[in-house]
Amino acid sequence: MSGTRSGATPRSSERTGIGSGWVVFAAVLMVFGGLMMILEGIAAIAEDDVFVTTRNYAYAFDLTSWGWIHLIVGVVITLAGAALFQGATWARVVGVAVAGLAMLANFLWLPYAPVWAIVLIAINGFVIWALCAAPSPSER
């Protein structure tokens, strides 16, 4: 006896296409981290006096340029996280790639907002881990 019935209804995660709990975890973190990057980008674009600029920094972009980079990456991460909630398989690949780019962008952002950047690096690390640890749709 296998414990399953032939007429059993599928679980809610199977009906919606979301997948495992790791994918949902990654989607929530992606939406949260993306929104934080959007706010960070808006703050850098709108008011350059919010952040302390450092001299002799190796990656010396204008603070407004960093703001646009964070805004664009944040929008892409948020949209990919929302697509994960819809069960889009492509969003897993995009999520890993964009979370890696966000980690790099936040590493380069360390002199401007060290605590914020470290938190977002950790969030993106968890996103990559969760998306890679989740079983693929063919394994379910």
Side-chain angles (χ1 to χ4, degrees), residues 88-99:
T89 305
W90 60 266
R92 290 177 69 168
V93 175
V94 170
V96 170
V98 178

Side-chain angles (χ1 to χ4, degrees), residues 2-140:
S2 66
T4 60
R5 297 178 301 174
S6 61
T9 58
R11 294 183 303 200
S12 63
S13 64
E14 292 172 356
R15 285 193 304 264
T16 59
I18 292 175
S20 74
W22 291 120
V23 175
V24 175
F25 175 72
V28 169
L29 285 181
M30 285 175 70
V31 170
F32 174 75
L35 291 174
M36 293 297 105
M37 283 191 76
I38 289 170
L39 293 175
E40 186 176 56
I42 290 171
I45 292 168
E47 187 71 38
D48 282 345
D49 297 337
V50 172
F51 300 101
V52 176
T53 57
T54 59
R55 294 180 296 189
N56 300 326
Y57 181 49
Y59 309 106
F61 283 136
D62 179 38
L63 196 55
T64 304
S65 301
W66 277 118
W68 281 106
I69 290 168
H70 280 82
L71 182 66
I72 291 168
V73 172
V75 166
V76 173
I77 287 177
T78 304
L79 292 176
L84 278 174
F85 280 121
Q86 300 299 317
T89 305
W90 60 266
R92 290 177 69 168
V93 175
V94 170
V96 170
V98 178
L101 286 174
M103 287 179 80
L104 179 64
N106 282 298
F107 174 75
L108 298 175
W109 184 252
L110 276 170
Y112 300 107
V115 174
W116 187 293
I118 289 170
V119 168
L120 287 175
I121 288 170
I123 287 173
N124 287 308
F126 282 124
V127 165
I128 292 171
W129 174 72
L131 290 175
C132 292
S136 67
S138 63
E139 293 175 358
R140 286 183 270 154

